[in-house]
Amino acid sequence: MRCSYFDAARCRSCTLMGTPYGEQLSGKQAHCQTLLAGHTSLEWLEPVASQESAFRNKAKMVISGTARNPTIGILDADGHGIDLRKCGVCSPGLRAVFPVVAGFIRRNRLTPYDVPNRSGELKHLIVTESPDGEIMLRLVLRSEQLVPRIRKHLPDLLEALPQVKVVSINLHPEHKAVLEGDREILLTEQSTLNMRVNDINLHLRPQSFFQTNSDMAAALYRQGREWVSELAPASVWDLYCGVGGFALHVADPYRTVTGIETSSEAIVSARLSRDEAGLQGMEFEAGDATAFALAAEQAPELVIVNPPRRGIGKELCGWLESSNVRHVVYSSCNAQSLARDLAALPSFTARRARVLDMFPQTTHYEVMVLLERAG
C-alpha cells in the first residue's frame, strides 16, 4: 500500500507504510514467536492476514483549522491541523462521511478547538462503521455551547448521510491529551449501532469499545469459539468482555457464561444482544475483572481474557494460579505484556497460538493463546 500523506511526511502514524505486506505479516509472527520462545510445547497456527487498506471501521479525527476552513485529521508538532480526509486505511464508508461533516461545520459555523490558544469548541470527530455500512457519528465538544445549533441542523446532516443511524455529542471540557470526556448527549432516537459479526448481532453504544478491524474481529471470535467448542467446558468466564463478542460466540444451551466489563455502556449492549438472541445461562455484569475473580466463590472450567495493552496483571495471574480453572483463552493486543503474564502462570502450558493482523501498516497485532493447566 502507498500513502501520499506518508510519502509527504504529513502523517507517519502507519510506521510500516510502504513495507510489502507479506514482510509485515511475517515480521509480526517472528516478533511474537521470539517473545514466547520459552514455551516449547506451543503449536503456532498460520497467521490471519487482513486486507492491506480500507480495513479500519473507526476513525478518531482531530477537528482543527477554522469554521470556514476546517481540517479533519491530526495535529502537527505545533498543534495545527493536518487534513487526512482521504486516509487509505479508513474504510470507504468512513471517508464518505468526512467531507459532509466538513460542510456541516462550515454551514453552521462550528468553531474548531484551537489547541495552542485553548479557544473554540469542536475538538474531535469519532466515526464508526458497522459491517452493514451503517454509521455512528460522535462530535466531541468543549462545552454545551454548540449543542442547540447542532441539534437544530442535525436533520440536514442525516438527510445528506442517511447511513448515519446514531449521533451523539461528547463533552470534554478539559485541556488535556484525552480523546473524550465522560458525559454523552444522544441526539438520535437510535442509541446503538448494530455490529453484525459472524452470526451474532452485537450492539455498540457511543462509549463502548469494539475492535477497529471488523474482519479480524470476526476471525478472532471464530477462533475463540473453535477452541471453546473443542474443550466443551460447562462454565466460562469472559473477562474484559466489552460488548460481549467472545461470550456470545461461545454460548451453548449446556454451558453457563459470565461476562465482566468495567464499562456499564458495554454491558447494556451485551445484555441487549443476549436478549435478542434468546440465550439462556448467560450473565453480564459491570465490574473489575480481577475484583470479580477474587470475590467469586467458585471458578469456571475455562476463562477467556481480552485485556487492554497492560495485560491481566499479577493479581489475576495469582488468582488463576491458585484456582482450579482448567483452560485459559488469552487474546492479547500486546505480546510483551502477554509474555509477562504467561511467565506468572507457571501452572499453565501454552498449547496453541495464532497471530491475527488487526492493524496492518503498523507494528501492532493481536495474538491468541490457548493455555492448559499442566498435569
Side-chain angles (χ1 to χ4, degrees), residues 226-245:
E226 180 182 320
W227 285 347
V228 172
S229 295
E230 180 183 323
L231 296 167
S235 53
V236 173
W237 287 356
D238 179 6
L239 304 182
Y240 313 92
C241 71
V243 295

Side-chain angles (χ1 to χ4, degrees), residues 179-258:
L179 190 68
E180 59 188 86
D182 295 328
R183 187 180 168 200
E184 201 85 15
I185 302 172
L186 190 66
L187 299 185
T188 50
E189 183 177 349
Q190 185 170 323
S191 61
T192 67
L193 186 67
N194 294 331
M195 302 291 288
R196 185 176 49 81
V197 180
N198 299 317
D199 55 347
I200 304 292
N201 190 34
L202 302 174
H203 291 271
L204 190 65
R205 294 171 71 85
Q207 291 182 301
S208 298
F209 168 80
F210 189 80
Q211 301 283 4
T212 57
N213 187 325
S214 295
D215 287 345
M216 290 299 98
L220 196 73
Y221 297 143
R222 287 195 303 270
Q223 185 63 77
R225 173 190 276 172
E226 180 182 320
W227 285 347
V228 172
S229 295
E230 180 183 323
L231 296 167
S235 53
V236 173
W237 287 356
D238 179 6
L239 304 182
Y240 313 92
C241 71
V243 295
F246 277 115
L248 292 158
H249 275 79
V250 303
D252 187 276
Y254 303 101
R255 177 178 302 140
T256 61
V257 181
T258 302

Side-chain angles (χ1 to χ4, degrees), residues 303 312 315-323 325 328 345 348 373:
V303 172
I312 65 175
E315 270 196 294
L316 188 50
C317 284
W319 178 85
L320 284 166
E321 273 290 292
S322 63
S323 73
V325 171
V328 177
L345 294 169
F348 288 86
R373 188 173 292 280

Side-chain angles (χ1 to χ4, degrees), residues 19 63 71 92 153 163 171 194 222 243 260 283-284 298 311 314 325 344 351 354 362 364:
T19 301
I63 306 297
T71 62
H153 297 285
Q163 66 271 40
L171 296 179
N194 294 331
R222 287 195 303 270
V243 295
I260 303 297
E283 296 295 332
F284 291 101
Q298 187 174 357
K314 290 182 179 179
V325 171
R351 292 299 187 192
R354 188 165 215 173
T362 77
H364 301 294

Side-chain angles (χ1 to χ4, degrees), residues 240 262 288 307-313 330 333-334 337-338 340-341:
Y240 313 92
T262 56
D288 177 77
R309 291 191 60 78
R310 65 177 181 271
I312 65 175
Y330 196 135
C333 60
N334 181 1
S337 62
L338 168 65
R340 187 169 59 246
D341 286 340

Side-chain angles (χ1 to χ4, degrees), residues 271-332:
R271 289 172 177 167
L272 179 57
S273 295
R274 173 200 64 191
D275 294 344
E276 278 188 352
L279 299 173
Q280 304 296 316
M282 178 171 289
E283 296 295 332
F284 291 101
E285 299 294 337
D288 177 77
T290 301
F292 172 81
L294 292 176
E297 295 181 359
Q298 187 174 357
E301 293 181 20
L302 184 146
V303 172
I304 300 170
V305 292
N306 185 21
R309 291 191 60 78
R310 65 177 181 271
I312 65 175
K314 290 182 179 179
E315 270 196 294
L316 188 50
C317 284
W319 178 85
L320 284 166
E321 273 290 292
S322 63
S323 73
N324 59 355
V325 171
R326 296 296 306 163
H327 293 93
V328 177
V329 174
Y330 196 135
S331 180
S332 170

Side-chain angles (χ1 to χ4, degrees), residues 58 124-128 136-141 144 147 151 166-173 179-188 191 204-208 265:
K58 185 174 186 176
H124 301 114
L125 168 68
I126 306 174
V127 190
T128 306
M136 175 189 291
L137 190 153
R138 303 171 64 209
L139 297 171
V140 181
L141 304 178
E144 294 187 56
V147 174
R151 195 187 296 272
V166 182
V167 180
S168 67
I169 287 171
N170 178 272
L171 296 179
H172 180 19
L179 190 68
E180 59 188 86
D182 295 328
R183 187 180 168 200
E184 201 85 15
I185 302 172
L186 190 66
L187 299 185
T188 50
S191 61
L204 190 65
R205 294 171 71 85
Q207 291 182 301
S208 298
E265 288 280 291

